[in-house]
Amino acid sequence: MAEAVGCPPDRLTDLGGYLDELDSAPAELAAIGRHLGRGLAGLVNLLNPQIIVLGGYLRSLYRWVDRDVHAEMAVRGLPVSGMQPRIVLPKLGDQSVLIGASEVAFRGLLDDPVRCLSGAQRTADLKVG
């Protein structure tokens, strides 16, 4: 994929940016879209999610291969009525993975700040005393 979009091997962390800057999709991306669709179909068959969120460089790739992804999922997915998941892109852009990880790390604090902070105070007292 990196080669197809002109991303040098030492800049793979910037792959999403290279995909975002394309004016049109190189033909090689269609095969990658089919592979992505095949993988997603397997996950859907196994886990039956209602929604699939494509983040990271997949967010940038998806606009170029959405038809290939859906076509492969239609061929490989189990034909269960009403069980087609929606594929969405994160609204937080390139930072969505980092923000999501932060939310997981701070889930206790966000869910119940009083209990979380009171527990932190007791822990601090134990270390001092």
Side-chain angles (χ1 to χ4, degrees), residues 69-81:
V69 169
H70 285 283
E72 194 67 25
M73 288 179 70
V75 168
R76 305 225 179 236
L78 295 174
V80 179
S81 178

Side-chain angles (χ1 to χ4, degrees), residues 12-95:
L12 291 179
T13 56
D14 299 328
L15 183 57
Y18 280 84
L19 287 160
D20 287 337
E21 293 173 6
L22 292 176
D23 293 326
S24 62
E28 297 89 347
L29 291 186
I32 294 167
R34 288 190 298 275
H35 289 299
L36 177 58
R38 187 175 303 134
L40 291 177
L43 290 173
V44 168
N45 291 341
L46 180 66
L47 302 173
N48 190 25
Q50 293 179 355
I51 190 168
I52 297 170
V53 181
L54 296 178
Y57 68 84
L58 294 177
R59 176 183 150 272
S60 301
L61 171 69
Y62 185 67
R63 72 179 178 134
W64 300 114
V65 299
D66 61 335
R67 288 187 180 116
D68 302 299
V69 169
H70 285 283
E72 194 67 25
M73 288 179 70
V75 168
R76 305 225 179 236
L78 295 174
V80 179
S81 178
M83 298 182 92
Q84 183 70 19
R86 287 186 316 128
I87 297 177
V88 298
L89 305 177
K91 303 290 186 209
L92 300 173
D94 291 342
Q95 300 300 316

Side-chain angles (χ1 to χ4, degrees), residues 104-126:
V104 169
F106 288 103
R107 178 165 285 152
L109 178 63
L110 296 172
D111 288 345
D112 191 351
V114 173
R115 188 177 75 189
C116 186
L117 292 175
S118 67
Q121 178 64 40
R122 284 193 303 271
T123 302
D125 291 342
L126 290 174

